[in-house]
Amino acid sequence: MAKKQLALEVIRRLKTEYPDADCTLEYNEPWKLLVSVRLAAQCTDARVNVVVEKLYEKFPDVDALAAATPEEIEEIVHPCGLGKSKARDINACMKVLRDEYGGQVPDDFDALLHLPGVGRKSANLIMGDVFKKPAIVTDTHCIRLCNRIGLVDGIKEPKKVEMALWKIVPPEEGNGLCHRFVEHGRAVCTARTTPHCEKCCLAEICKKVGVK
């Protein structure tokens, strides 16, 4: 099966299996997703959702976080790990939003990449979830599943996986597919245990289980 055809079938099956898949980071304003996705590095979304509640109690908007010191932010976000660097990035990012964008998150991919602490994964998440534009978020679940299924062959670098997926995934499907990869990666195609291939909706078309 050609990779483009395989991608379409993976999309179809995962849509059926996870029709309501969405971002598991909780936010009600675009800048809050920027904060949460930075905190989510090497941390669970569930923990981030708890920590940001305390963060926003003390610093309820962009201006407040921009005016805070990194040390004040770190004191609250340290349970997410890497507290010093995350606090520094969040503070610097909010300053840029305040000073250059009137407190708003830019809807341009390159502009997002120039924000402190924002990489391709974060920028794609913002573009897809907030602005509903074509996006592919190559997190660890996406990379693992794409290699196992056979959508990419031995590619582990996030940007290279992203570029390969752009060639075979319809632009309007990328964001939803990546959210479904997260759901499937947590529930079935797991990383820290043996994958549950016996209950996988993709087993018939997955390279890992020997189907070409």
Side-chain angles (χ1 to χ4, degrees):
M1 186 183 296
K3 281 183 167 51
K4 187 171 288 189
Q5 183 183 358
L6 176 61
L8 293 176
E9 184 61 17
V10 168
I11 290 167
R12 187 188 70 79
R13 293 186 182 210
L14 290 183
K15 272 187 176 180
T16 300
E17 194 76 7
Y18 310 100
D20 301 318
D22 204 353
C23 181
T24 51
L25 292 168
E26 297 172 359
Y27 67 98
N28 55 12
E29 296 181 71
W31 66 270
K32 290 184 177 179
L33 183 55
L34 269 180
V35 171
S36 289
V37 74
R38 181 65 187 95
L39 292 176
Q42 299 183 38
C43 182
T44 65
D45 290 0
R47 175 169 290 182
V48 171
N49 290 337
V50 172
V51 169
V52 292
E53 287 185 10
K54 298 177 181 178
L55 183 66
Y56 301 146
E57 284 177 7
K58 187 168 184 179
F59 306 109
D61 52 35
V62 170
D63 287 347
L65 274 173
T69 66
E71 291 75 22
E72 289 175 315
I73 297 172
E74 181 187 359
E75 186 177 345
I76 299 173
V77 304
H78 72 87
C80 296
L82 305 174
K84 189 177 295 294
S85 62
K86 290 179 179 181
R88 183 181 62 245
D89 286 344
I90 289 169
N91 179 240
C93 183
M94 295 302 110
K95 285 180 177 177
V96 174
L97 292 187
R98 178 195 64 189
D99 298 341
E100 298 184 22
Y101 296 101
Q104 303 301 308
V105 176
D107 63 354
D108 177 79
F109 187 79
D110 290 331
L112 288 169
L113 286 181
H114 282 92
L115 295 174
V118 176
R120 295 189 68 86
K121 183 176 78 171
S122 302
N124 271 300
L125 184 65
I126 296 293
M127 292 298 287
D129 277 28
V130 173
F131 299 115
K132 310 304 179 187
K133 296 185 178 183
I136 291 177
V137 180
T138 49
D139 65 358
T140 56
H141 292 292
C142 176
I143 294 168
R144 182 175 74 255
L145 269 65
C146 285
N147 276 279
R148 285 179 177 175
I149 295 166
L151 292 173
V152 301
D153 300 308
I155 304 175
K156 300 298 175 68
E157 184 182 324
K159 184 177 179 180
K160 289 183 178 179
V161 173
E162 179 192 336
M163 295 300 106
L165 290 179
W166 278 121
K167 296 178 181 178
I168 60 175
V169 173
E172 69 276 10
E173 299 287 358
N175 191 55
L177 175 62
C178 292
H179 285 316
R180 292 182 176 96
F181 277 152
V182 172
E183 295 279 351
H184 197 61
R186 288 172 176 168
V188 178
C189 198
T190 51
R192 296 182 181 179
T193 64
T194 302
H196 304 290
C197 299
E198 72 284 353
K199 62 177 183 179
C200 179
C201 64
L202 304 176
E204 295 174 354
I205 57 172
C206 179
K207 183 181 74 172
K208 179 176 173 58
V209 294
V211 179
K212 304 298 183 184

